[in-house]
Amino acid sequence: MTPTIISTVKPSPESTFDLRTHLGSLELSSPVLTASGCAAAGRELDNYFDITAIGGIVTKSIMLAPRSGRATPRMAETPSGMLNSIGLQGPGVESFLETDLAWLQQRGARTIVSIAGRTADEFGKVAAKLRVAGGFDAIEVNISCPNVEDSGQVFACRADISAQIIQTVRRNSDNKIPIFAKLSPDVTDIVEIATSVSQAGATGVSVINTLLGMVIDTQTMRPALAGVTGGLSGPAIRPIAVRCIWQIRSALPNLPIIGMGGVRTGQDALEMVLAGASAISVGTSIFNDPGAPMRIQRELEQELRNRGFESLTQAISFAHREVIEAVIEDEMGESKDESEQDWDFISE
Amino acid sequence: MSVGASESATLGAMQVLGEVLDVQRSGNYFLMSVTAPGLAERARPGQFVTVGMGGEESSMVLRRSFAIQGVQVRGMYGGTLDFIVSPVGKGSQWLTKLRRHDPVNLVGPLGKPFTLPTKPVTCVLVGGGYGAAPLIMLAQALRERGCRVDSIIGASTEEKLYGSLDLKRVSTSLTLATEDGTAGIRGRVTDGLINTLDSSKVDVVYACGPMPMLASVAEECTTRKIFSQCSVEESMACGIGVCMTCVLPVIGEDGVTRMLRSCVEGPVFRGDRVRWADIGTIPEGTWGGEGPRS
Ligand SMILES: Cc1cc2nc3c(=O)[nH]c(=O)nc-3n(C[C@H](O)[C@H](O)[C@H](O)COP(=O)(O)OP(=O)(O)OC[C@H]3O[C@@H](n4cnc5c(N)ncnc54)[C@H](O)[C@@H]3O)c2cc1C
Ligand SMILES: Cc1cc2nc3c(=O)[nH]c(=O)nc-3n(C[C@H](O)[C@H](O)[C@H](O)COP(=O)(O)O)c2cc1C
Ligand code: FES
């Protein structure tokens, strides 16, 4: 076997496949993004692939002030996944704007800035600073973090508070800036939360954030993480992510969805697209393969071609067609040739 | 072979699909030799590689880090590199079961290397267990610069000592220490270090090994105002600086403590800068900290 260098970075020049996607008013050349907290601000990854060749970079959630994060150990590997308890370590919004965002802008990368806060007011202040600075394409609001005004309860667990945060961010942002609410799957009814953030002015939703989990080290017989509990991510959570995307798409057919949770291959990305995602963020898989976003983008294109799609858009929500067919069948009392029917749906 | 491999002049790390050349047992450890064309050529002493675990469909989603022990840049395979594996858990055990020609997915060279002196000074190298591995490559580089290299390696027992043959070859002197006395002096490497520091003029101390060992090496050096560089081993999820799992409290030039990423701002740190006793906490006054904690 000849050793080969992997992680090819340049999109093949003959590539004419239409991977464009729309998230509200935002058009991206590809649906593949990095997941917040798994790509820092793109700089390190630019070493492994051309970060301007994917859909965009979603930056690590930034807060108003610098944050040291939680004590270590901050991670534990789990079957097909990992737990993390980073605690939103970061330099604060001012430094982020001066160094990270400035670099991304100069590099020409499409950028979705993820923001977090301890209170609704903080979210608003971060958004206001972003508005002044400009130079990014959209905001992702990480409401899956603890609310200090609600005894550390996660914002995203309550529909009313989630809506309040989105309203605050909306009020403090340029009208034209798309805003995505990043939802937690640790809720009884994710559709209820998605509905309320949509009504509060969110352009779309990002699903899913990590699930709360815990590991006990059987050697030390203590929690493996210094923070005791942590967020579960990686392929282990993918079916939950697909389910959340499916439910939101079914209930809110026009709400753009950025899907994420355990995407490792183009096929995984396709699964989320079929469930209703217009874009896909790649998180934990970057730790396994720093070139993952680029590779997944290439693989997704191939998966789409293999199934006869001519563009990404045709595949978005495609898995929902059976539901529509079932309705038609019930009403008409007849069934058509399946492949023909699929084609009808595409060309609509 | 350079099919679009992406690299930057400043960082220089790359992902390479290499191949196992050899797996050799050495006491409690396994020495792995792998091809790493392009990567090996860039490696400097103190840097590490990460290895993908268990193949493509593996349930181990995280790569494991291994200190680079040495590289060969010419030869029939292009660049090759060696690292040592202690088979302690799932990933490391899987790795040691690989055989010649098996593929290995490598990312590297990662991290900040040891800083080399510009003058031919006197250096002491301290290694604990498999922590001696990167010192082999370091000792070579120091000798090439005309430095005196006194190496001290230790472990709990002889089986866990590593690198004595190689280090003997490249060092001016080599001292062994085992806690049970099965090889060399009975005691810890720091006992050997204290002897050396007290009996001769030492300019720089380099260390790699378990955290408690590094903490005492750093302390002995700092109290004597001797410059020390310690290579730490923090648990890492990405190894490339994007996740913030591998942090530890380090005092900056400005006197402020920050939680620094050991994968990119380390793994080599100045011994007098790391707040050894506070590892595993966010010490009071840390930049971005929340003040005193209960
Ligand atoms: C900079 C650096 C250099 C290293 N160099 C070497 C080396 O030269 N030789 C060697 O044998 N090992 C080295 N290690 C440790 C190695 O990366 C693995 O963590 C170790 O082999 C255990 O992995 P496992 O899968 O067998 O254990 P598991 O128990 O299955 O590991 C589970 C998780 O915990 C992490 N973990 C477990 N033990 C450690 C540890 N001691 N340090 C950091 N993370 C740990 C693993 O990386 C993994 O993510 C190094 C680690 C770092 C950070
Ligand atoms: C180490 C780590 C840090 C993360 N940090 C953030 C963050 O700062 N903000 C956020 O919205 N999500 C964060 N996430 C969640 C991811 O963006 C993503 O929603 C989740 O991990 C599921 O995707 P994945 O399985 O592809 O990683 C983080 C995840 C990990 C593993
Ligand atoms: S291991 Fe991810 S930042 Fe260091």
Side-chain angles (χ1 to χ4, degrees), chain B residues 47-69:
Chain B
Q47 290 189 298
F48 62 98
V49 288
T50 60
V51 185
M53 292 287 130
E56 298 266 301
E57 289 293 310
S58 169
S59 72
M60 288 183 271
V61 298
L62 301 178
R63 308 174 72 87
R64 306 296 195 257
S65 314
F66 297 92
I68 299 170
Q69 163 175 333

Side-chain angles (χ1 to χ4, degrees), chain A residues 1 4-5 9 37-38 44 47-48 66-72 74-75 77 80-81 86 89 264 287-289, chain B residues 4-6 8 13 15 17 19 56 58-59 61-64 235-236 240 244 247 259 261 280 282 288 290:
Chain A
M1 196 185 85
T4 44
I5 293 167
V9 293
C38 302
E44 293 82 1
N47 200 42
Y48 300 91
R67 286 262 293 201
S68 64
R70 296 214 183 89
T72 55
R74 289 179 172 183
M75 72 96 175
E77 193 183 52
S80 294
I86 309 297
Q89 178 169 344
R264 186 171 197 167
F287 307 162
N288 181 265
D289 170 11
Chain B
S6 149
S8 99
Q15 183 168 191
L17 192 59
E19 177 187 322
E56 298 266 301
S58 169
S59 72
V61 298
L62 301 178
R63 308 174 72 87
R64 306 296 195 257
S235 135
M236 294 179 177
I240 58 170
M244 314 299 286
V247 300
M259 300 304 290
R261 295 164 297 175
I282 307 290
E290 283 170 15

Side-chain angles (χ1 to χ4, degrees), chain B residues 19-178:
Chain B
E19 177 187 322
V20 175
L21 286 177
D22 198 14
V23 185
Q24 258 177 44
R25 213 192 159 100
S26 170
N28 271 11
Y29 308 112
F30 291 82
L31 176 65
M32 313 267 317
S33 300
V34 299
T35 63
L39 190 165
E41 289 85 335
R42 297 171 189 201
R44 284 151 68 195
Q47 290 189 298
F48 62 98
V49 288
T50 60
V51 185
M53 292 287 130
E56 298 266 301
E57 289 293 310
S58 169
S59 72
M60 288 183 271
V61 298
L62 301 178
R63 308 174 72 87
R64 306 296 195 257
S65 314
F66 297 92
I68 299 170
Q69 163 175 333
V71 295
Q72 299 78 40
V73 295
R74 277 177 294 274
M76 61 183 297
Y77 301 103
T80 66
L81 63 84
D82 299 336
F83 57 90
I84 189 84
V85 180
S86 171
V88 291
K90 276 199 316 289
S92 50
Q93 283 161 10
W94 171 83
L95 198 53
T96 58
K97 291 193 191 99
L98 292 183
R99 290 295 163 258
R100 192 174 164 82
H101 299 311
D102 283 340
V104 270
N105 188 318
L106 303 162
V107 169
L110 297 168
K112 285 221 174 100
F114 288 113
T115 309
L116 301 178
T118 48
K119 295 196 185 97
V121 297
T122 300
C123 308
V124 174
L125 275 48
V126 186
Y130 62 75
L135 303 182
I136 297 171
M137 189 172 175
L138 172 67
Q140 269 160 352
L142 292 171
R143 289 305 292 277
E144 278 162 21
R145 285 169 183 244
C147 293
R148 178 186 167 91
V149 175
D150 296 306
S151 297
I152 307 166
I153 59 169
S156 54
T157 184
E158 186 177 14
E159 289 281 274
K160 294 189 176 168
L161 267 183
Y162 180 73
S164 53
L165 285 180
D166 286 311
L167 275 172
K168 199 178 179 107
R169 188 168 46 78
V170 289
S171 307
T172 319
S173 79
L174 174 69
T175 308
L176 307 180
T178 51

